[in-house]
Amino acid sequence: MAVDPSMPILVVDDYQTMVRIIRNLLKQLGFENVDDASDGNAAIAKMRDKKYGLVISDWNMEPMTGYELLRQVRNEDAIAETPFIMVTAESKTENVIAAKKAGVNNYIVKPFNAQTLKSKIEAACAA
């Protein structure tokens, strides 16, 4: 399934270097409409203002983790259906299971490349 390269994507990470890396990978894949938020609260505020086609969030953030953000998104009717990809440096099985139970569409372990990101986006948006 082809993913619409004009769809708005929200990248959520408290580490600006990682935001830049993901933004650059998305640009390589043809996605230009990319916003970012430095924490979960800012992400929720942006999602209430704008409809995103995809959220790519880091797991380890303060004060709200990516997991808590995912749970909040899934509990708000207006944004609950937004495809959500979790990014983490740890591939702990219990984290993957918790994220799946909370409704994550896909999961990426750092480091990753543009091809991996592309396949994860296609799978998440096809769901």
Side-chain angles (χ1 to χ4, degrees):
M1 174 198 154
V3 177
D4 180 1
S6 68
M7 79 173 171
I9 298 176
L10 180 61
V11 176
V12 189
D13 201 313
D14 56 357
Y15 187 50
Q16 277 307 305
T17 303
M18 199 62 211
V19 170
R20 261 198 317 278
I21 290 167
I22 294 174
R23 194 181 271 278
N24 288 338
L25 289 173
L26 289 167
K27 191 170 269 189
Q28 284 176 37
L29 296 173
F31 296 100
E32 297 286 341
N33 191 353
V34 180
D35 291 341
D36 62 82
S38 59
D39 64 59
N41 293 320
I44 289 288
K46 287 189 176 202
M47 290 181 75
R48 287 176 180 149
D49 284 346
K50 180 176 177 179
K51 181 156 177 47
Y52 289 95
L54 176 66
V55 174
I56 301 173
S57 175
D58 188 36
W59 180 291
N60 297 310
M61 295 185 295
E62 295 289 333
M64 182 192 293
T65 66
Y67 176 69
E68 291 163 340
L69 170 62
L70 170 64
R71 291 187 52 181
Q72 192 165 336
V73 166
R74 292 297 179 244
N75 286 326
E76 282 196 33
D77 289 345
I79 57 177
E81 298 298 314
T82 309
F84 199 108
I85 295 177
M86 190 74 72
V87 178
T88 183
E90 304 160 32
S91 55
K92 289 185 191 153
T93 309
E94 61 267 26
N95 286 8
V96 176
I97 292 168
K100 285 280 185 204
K101 282 185 180 166
V104 78
N105 295 88
N106 224 317
Y107 205 87
I108 302 179
V109 179
K110 298 176 195 171
F112 56 90
N113 60 23
Q115 200 50 50
T116 300
L117 183 59
K118 181 178 194 277
S119 65
K120 298 286 185 173
I121 290 171
E122 287 171 348
C125 294

